[in-house]
Amino acid sequence: MTLLLPPRLTASAARLRDAAHARGLATVRLDTFAVPEGLRAAHLHAGPRFADAVAAGLEIGLLEAPSDWLARLPRQLTGREIRLMTLREAYGLRRPVFVKSPNDKEIPALVYADGSRLPGPDAVDPRTEVLVSDVVRFTAEYRLFLLDGAVRTASRYAEDGRLSLGPVSADALAFAAGLPFSTLPSAIVVDVGFADGGGWSVIEANAAWASGTYDCDPGRALDVVLRAARPRSAMEPRDLEFLR
């Protein structure tokens, strides 16, 4: 098996590369977004643009959460109102909101003073879907790599909005144990956090093949990445609805 990597190697990608080598897997780092003739790879770890450019030609299936997964969760799990809407609809918002793309990076994930501050139609297609949520401050944020609904590895990645790597807390894992992972693909990343004065909340779901590992065990994270981006022919029936 070969793990494909993009031209720009992040620290997380380097850790996953080393973990792959440690178990005898080959890795290939491309210089461009073009796949050389004859290259064969079964897995990848990269951002969405690179993945979209190479995955189809290599027949690699990419798993991701449904775009409305976060918006469909009950408020007791999110701690805030979250709506999926088009960018055109979001232009009409007249209050501070946090806006992000569900699975891509088309919209910078930021707090916007109102909808008029969002990227205009000359920059992004107004039909683009975005997740719009109330503004919440998290005092601690954790990343969970999930395989078949179980946490494979996890770590803290932020405190009070600043990068802060460390071990996962028992309370974060206890909260995660009650989440509806059956509504997600078999391999996925979920971020959870403790809101300032509001208890535990789901922050977002991310594709494992595009997620940073922070302080997670790279070998265990690799297990999730290999399942999240693998040959379409090897996809389990339950995962087919989650293909990108």
Side-chain angles (χ1 to χ4, degrees), residues 32-231:
T32 70
F33 281 28
V35 178
E37 186 175 352
L39 176 67
R40 295 290 181 268
H43 309 277
L44 65 80
H45 182 268
R49 287 183 60 243
F50 179 85
D52 287 342
V54 305
L58 294 169
E59 299 183 348
I60 295 175
L62 304 171
L63 297 180
E64 65 183 13
S67 58
D68 64 345
W69 181 77
L70 193 60
R72 285 191 284 110
L73 290 179
R75 186 157 183 162
Q76 61 262 35
L77 295 181
T78 64
R80 61 205 189 277
E81 181 186 24
I82 305 172
R83 297 169 59 197
L84 181 72
M85 63 180 67
T86 65
L87 190 58
R88 178 179 287 112
E89 292 173 306
Y91 288 149
L93 296 171
R94 291 296 175 262
R95 61 184 175 87
V97 287
F98 179 79
V99 182
K100 71 179 293 290
S101 298
N103 287 304
D104 291 303
K105 307 295 183 184
E106 293 177 278
I107 306 296
L110 297 169
V111 173
Y112 293 87
D114 58 52
S116 69
R117 305 300 180 92
L118 288 161
D122 57 330
V124 181
D125 188 333
R127 295 170 295 181
T128 299
E129 289 186 323
V130 292
L131 286 167
V132 176
S133 71
D134 295 336
V135 178
V136 174
R137 176 177 171 268
F138 292 100
T139 59
E141 300 171 58
Y142 299 88
R143 171 146 294 179
L144 316 173
F145 278 80
L146 299 158
L147 197 60
D148 294 322
V151 176
R152 187 73 177 140
T153 183
S155 83
R156 188 185 69 231
Y157 65 88
E159 291 180 301
D160 295 319
R162 296 182 179 86
L163 182 67
S164 175
L165 305 185
V168 66
S169 77
D171 288 341
L173 294 176
F175 171 71
L179 298 179
F181 293 139
S182 62
T183 58
L184 289 169
S186 66
I188 195 73
V189 164
V190 172
D191 294 342
V192 303
F194 192 81
D196 186 14
W200 288 97
S201 303
V202 177
I203 297 174
E204 62 183 356
N206 298 286
W209 46 265
S211 293
T213 57
Y214 295 116
D215 212 25
C216 295
D217 180 278
R220 289 176 173 268
L222 180 63
D223 293 336
V224 183
V225 172
L226 295 179
R227 177 85 69 82
R230 67 188 192 276

